[in-house]
Amino acid sequence: MTQRTDVVVIGGGQSGLAAGYHLRRLGIEHVILDAQTAPGGAWQHTWGSLRLFSPAEYSSLPGRLMPVQPGQTYPDAGHVVDYLADYEKRYELPVRHGVSVKAVHRDGTLLRVATDCGDWRARAVVSATGTWTRPYLPAVPGRLEYTGRQLHTVRYQDPAEFAGQRVIIVGGGNSGAQIAADLAHARVNTTWVTQRPPRYLADDIDGRALFDHATARRRALDAGRTDTGGVASLGDIVAVPPVRAARDAGLLTAKPMFSRLTAAGVQWTDGTVAEVDAVIWCTGFRPELAHLAALRLRGSRGRIATVGTRALAEPRLHLLGYGDWTGPASATLIGVGRPARDAAREIADLLRP
Ligand code: FAD
């Protein structure tokens, strides 16, 4: 069965909902197809102790402030899921949960969106599928030789499952620091390794400053001024309270990255070895773009060239929320609102007779 609408939004996480909010405001008929059976996107799957790196009011989608979580300056993931579920309902966004998009094809003047329960034909598509479903693991020698447990950030849930074990955490970003702190607070035997010494943002800087920096950068670029550099120039790790506490207690000392895995553990270039029961790879993500393969748009580094959110070689397609290449801070709760609005406006222009 093939259904028709003006716009199909693929993905019903925060990015898809922000797109839906702006499409609805402009009166554009659309549907949001989301593979998850419940609202909340990737936030449904993160580990229990995760804290946002910004306070609630700085983690809001367009139209509705995230309420403060009682007793928490930095809300947890469960609070974000509740907020997104309420957002979806409050704005009556047409989300179809449990629908997985398999491919997008060109079909004359339309785009055909093939799903696991029928096709849609649309005049424009917004892809907002996030990165959570494409965890990245670096090619480190010996990875297949190692006989212990290996897991990526996406599979980490709770320190209790590592009680009594020796665990190595790889990665100097927020996930690595938060998971290392989580395990260290639970007194798990933890080694944290990073490619370069950890770069903490100043303790009084959090996601608010990152957002302000990204905004200032966008303004500078728009005005043709010198690039002030991405948020990475400020540091890699927001010192949210559990991370700060672990660091200040001396529980978060990072070692350099090891050079290889062995059957029983890891080995550094100087020959030092450590036996470990588990390796947790906090090594990032790649954009989930497999459903767009048939459009043949991917260029270097697996990205699709865009002007703002619009695919350069396919003006009926917009990309939202994957990172800075689809708009400054667009992969954050507060940052996705603006590119979502711009995408909706461009789509309105495209649809105008
Ligand atoms: P997602 O939340 O991943 O939503 C995408 C949706 O699309 C999912 O429901 C998925 O199932 C669905 N989907 C995927 N493929 C298909 C398909 N083919 N068909 C149909 N549906 C599909 N941001 C902040 O603002 N503050 C923070 O503190 C913060 N902390 C973070 C901590 C971690 C560990 C990570 C990984 C990210 C963090 N982020 C944070 C960044 C960002 O806000 C999240 O990654 C967020 O989940 C991105 O939202 P999204 O809607 O783009 O993607």
Side-chain angles (χ1 to χ4, degrees):
M1 190 186 68
T2 302
Q3 303 185 68
R4 209 20 247 274
T5 186
D6 279 338
V7 182
V8 171
V9 178
I10 309 173
Q14 65 200 37
S15 302
L17 298 188
Y21 172 89
H22 283 294
L23 290 168
R24 187 175 181 275
R25 281 194 79 178
L26 293 173
I28 298 172
E29 186 193 278
H30 65 285
V31 65
I32 302 172
L33 306 178
D34 186 50
Q36 307 285 313
T37 51
W43 296 106
Q44 297 170 77
H45 306 292
T46 58
W47 63 95
S49 70
L50 179 140
R51 291 284 173 275
L52 291 191
F53 47 68
S54 310
E57 66 271 30
Y58 275 81
S59 304
S60 302
L61 293 181
R64 169 146 173 79
L65 272 184
M66 181 185 283
V68 169
Q69 182 175 17
Q72 302 280 0
T73 307
Y74 298 95
D76 63 26
H79 189 69
V80 184
V81 171
D82 292 346
Y83 169 72
L84 295 179
D86 173 71
Y87 191 90
E88 188 179 313
K89 212 160 120 199
R90 179 176 295 261
Y91 294 112
E92 297 176 335
L93 298 176
V95 187
R96 309 265 177 113
H97 283 289
V99 178
S100 183
V101 170
K102 300 299 171 197
V104 179
H105 302 275
R106 294 190 180 89
D107 190 353
T109 57
L110 301 178
L111 291 170
R112 181 167 60 83
V113 179
T115 83
D116 56 357
C117 46
D119 288 6
W120 288 81
R121 281 195 166 74
R123 296 165 71 191
V125 164
V126 177
S127 185
T129 46
T131 57
W132 187 258
T133 45
R134 281 216 54 216
Y136 170 74
L137 275 86
V140 176
R143 224 179 63 205
L144 299 178
E145 209 178 296
Y146 174 63
T147 52
R149 182 175 176 206
Q150 295 188 58
L151 63 157
H152 185 271
T153 314
V154 295
R155 292 272 168 265
Y156 177 75
Q157 287 295 322
D158 190 324
E161 62 176 304
F162 298 97
Q165 297 187 10
R166 298 154 302 178
V167 181
I168 207 156
I169 298 120
V170 184
N174 285 300
S175 310
Q178 286 201 27
I179 290 176
D182 202 28
L183 290 163
H185 283 304
R187 301 281 161 206
V188 174
N189 182 336
T190 305
T191 306
W192 182 31
V193 298
T194 58
Q195 261 178 333
R196 57 183 178 190
R199 299 190 314 142
Y200 293 96
L201 279 88
D203 285 0
D204 58 342
I205 292 189
D206 59 23
R208 285 173 282 200
L210 296 180
F211 179 70
D212 290 346
H213 187 84
T215 308
R217 182 187 192 205
R218 191 199 57 240
R219 291 206 180 111
L221 291 175
D222 287 353
R225 294 197 300 270
T226 318
D227 190 351
T228 53
V231 290
S233 61
L234 297 179
D236 298 322
I237 302 166
V238 179
V240 290
V243 169
R244 199 181 311 168
R247 183 199 61 193
D248 294 349
L251 300 172
L252 271 192
T253 317
K255 285 192 171 176
M257 178 62 186
F258 49 81
S259 55
R260 61 171 295 115
L261 285 113
T262 63
V266 299
Q267 182 175 359
W268 281 268
T269 38
D270 66 1
T272 316
V273 290
E275 292 194 355
V276 291
D277 302 298
V279 180
I280 307 180
W281 298 97
C282 302
T283 41
F285 301 85
R286 295 289 181 263
E288 178 54 89
L289 300 173
H291 56 290
L292 301 177
L295 298 176
R296 299 187 175 279
L297 298 169
R298 286 175 88 147
S300 64
R301 301 173 67 200
R303 291 181 180 177
I304 293 174
T306 52
V307 184
T309 59
R310 178 168 39 84
L312 197 58
E314 177 46 85
R316 297 167 293 184
L317 174 70
H318 287 257
L319 294 124
L320 207 53
Y322 299 102
D324 278 359
W325 57 289
T326 59
S330 76
T332 63
L333 283 152
I334 194 170
V336 73
R338 188 183 172 114
R341 184 200 63 189
D342 294 348
R345 284 182 181 165
E346 281 196 38
I347 289 171
D349 288 343
L350 178 84
L351 300 187
R352 209 161 280 135

